[in-house]
Amino acid sequence: MSHGHAKPLPPSLREWAERVVGPLSAVQDASHPRESSRVWDVTDSRGRRFFIKQSASASFYERETFGYQSAVPALGFGRAPRLVETDARQLALLLTAVPGTPVSRLALPAPEHRSAHRQFGALLRRLHGTDKMPGAGRREARTALERLADDAETHLARATGLMSESRRALVRRSADHVRKLTDLLAPAHIHGDAQERNALWTGPALPEQRTPGQRTPGRQAPGQRTPGQPAPGRQAPRPASGQLAVIDFERSRYAPAVQDFVRLACGPWQGRGDLRAAFFHGYGRPLTDAERQALPCLAALDAASCLAYGPDHGEHDVTARGLRTLARLENGPWETFV
């Protein structure tokens, strides 16, 4: 949900959606807390829930539309939203709702947290392998990696006051090494923003840890008992249960598969080797040697991007992620990423 004032659904978007699904009985702003995000959680007269998303740019619209049409169906029923309709003129997508709460907003018990990452790995493997990878896709994946390395200097120039010379040198070394790995990294149709906020969990959790007052798909009604929740004071082991779904494909594109692991390695996998192991168990294969070399380099490039973007757009969490990643790369062995 957006911070500050709620963003109203533009009349033109409402008219378009109602031509597709009929009259809307409820509309709620579901945008992320940034100005460019425009998403609405809507309900039709039959009680069916949808999301209306207006892309921030034509490239995001084209990527997300292509992703939903070509790759997302391979994830399976209930594992991702379904694309109902699009409007290129308004850069709008109408999507079905899938149940769940972002993993980032939950305090999951350890078995469920591992299960969520195992399922995340399995779903990304399906996404990565949905095409036989046409020649144009392979070329696009290679170009994307080269462009990422080339963008490092631009990001360093914009983040001048936030990076020491040693950290700037680290980023440059990373860009140089990535270029040498270009032909060795497996291409894929990646999600592009694979992190816990885009993974919705349905199942046992610790509901008292959720963000108060935040309405999310599949959220329990007040007072509803969490299925499988152990009685207070009991720590009896039990098998994990629950299901994960993946959302937000506006950054999906052809790129090396390893790029989808960067934000997880820079976030929830820190200090949680069990989550990383669960993810790759679900993914079905370990990192290749080239991917093991590329992952910390890509993390350094991501950090530079964070420090170039975050301060200018008031996204303090993005800035903090960049600083944490550089500190980790500078002070610890790079093997901790893999």
Side-chain angles (χ1 to χ4, degrees), residues 14-216:
R14 180 168 192 140
E15 292 170 7
W16 165 69
E18 290 187 330
R19 285 197 299 270
V20 179
V21 301
L24 300 181
S25 61
V27 176
Q28 181 171 339
D29 181 22
S31 307
H32 284 303
R34 62 177 183 269
E35 185 56 35
S36 62
S37 177
R38 282 169 169 70
V39 183
W40 294 271
D41 181 348
V42 303
T43 305
D44 70 5
S45 58
R46 290 184 282 172
R48 299 178 302 172
R49 289 182 59 229
F50 302 89
F51 282 87
I52 298 171
K53 181 172 184 177
Q54 188 170 41
S55 299
S57 69
S59 62
F60 282 154
Y61 170 81
E62 290 165 2
R63 283 179 173 178
E64 190 150 23
T65 299
F66 177 71
Y68 275 115
Q69 291 173 341
S70 66
V72 174
L75 300 186
F77 179 77
R79 294 302 194 133
R82 180 174 59 85
L83 181 63
V84 178
E85 187 60 89
T86 62
D87 184 332
R89 183 176 60 84
Q90 299 189 84
L91 303 181
L93 300 91
L94 181 64
L95 305 163
T96 60
V98 290
T101 301
V103 173
S104 60
R105 296 180 190 162
L106 295 172
L108 290 175
E112 277 69 31
H113 208 177
R114 287 191 291 270
S115 179
H117 278 257
R118 183 164 52 249
Q119 293 182 48
F120 207 177
L123 291 174
L124 287 185
R125 183 64 184 273
R126 292 182 203 170
L127 184 72
H128 290 175
T130 49
D131 278 334
K132 294 181 181 179
M133 191 54 62
R138 291 181 179 276
R139 289 191 295 273
E140 187 177 331
R142 178 189 175 96
T143 299
L145 192 64
E146 293 172 344
R147 185 167 54 246
L148 186 68
D150 292 343
D151 286 344
E153 283 301 326
T154 301
H155 295 151
L156 288 175
R158 291 174 57 189
T160 301
L162 294 172
M163 299 180 68
S164 65
E165 282 303 317
S166 63
R167 291 185 175 183
R168 293 164 69 83
L170 184 154
V171 170
R172 290 191 174 104
R173 289 196 304 272
S174 297
D176 289 341
H177 195 55
V178 161
R179 291 188 184 95
K180 298 175 184 176
L181 297 171
T182 300
D183 293 330
L184 303 176
L185 298 173
H189 189 143
I190 68 168
H191 179 278
D193 194 16
Q195 55 181 314
E196 287 189 337
R197 77 176 188 185
N198 290 325
L200 305 185
W201 177 256
T202 303
L206 303 179
E208 68 274 10
Q209 298 298 319
R210 291 181 173 136
T211 303
Q214 190 122 34
R215 182 174 181 243
T216 53

Side-chain angles (χ1 to χ4, degrees), residues 212-266:
Q214 190 122 34
R215 182 174 181 243
T216 53
R219 179 164 184 176
Q220 295 172 311
Q224 181 177 347
R225 183 176 179 274
T226 303
Q229 184 178 1
R234 296 189 61 183
Q235 300 295 328
R238 55 176 173 74
S241 59
Q243 179 168 295
L244 194 82
V246 181
I247 61 169
D248 199 352
F249 292 84
E250 71 180 15
R251 298 180 186 274
S252 66
R253 62 196 185 276
Y254 289 118
V258 67
Q259 284 189 235
D260 257 349
F261 312 146
V262 171
R263 293 188 177 179
L264 293 168
C266 295

Side-chain angles (χ1 to χ4, degrees), residues 254-309:
Y254 289 118
V258 67
Q259 284 189 235
D260 257 349
F261 312 146
V262 171
R263 293 188 177 179
L264 293 168
C266 295
W269 293 353
Q270 293 188 48
R272 291 294 304 272
D274 60 326
L275 298 183
R276 184 173 62 247
F279 176 92
F280 284 108
H281 176 74
Y283 195 70
R285 70 165 178 84
L287 292 169
T288 66
D289 181 63
E291 287 171 337
R292 295 174 73 88
Q293 295 180 51
L295 187 53
C297 295
L298 292 171
L301 299 182
D302 178 71
S305 176
C306 288
L307 297 181
Y309 178 87

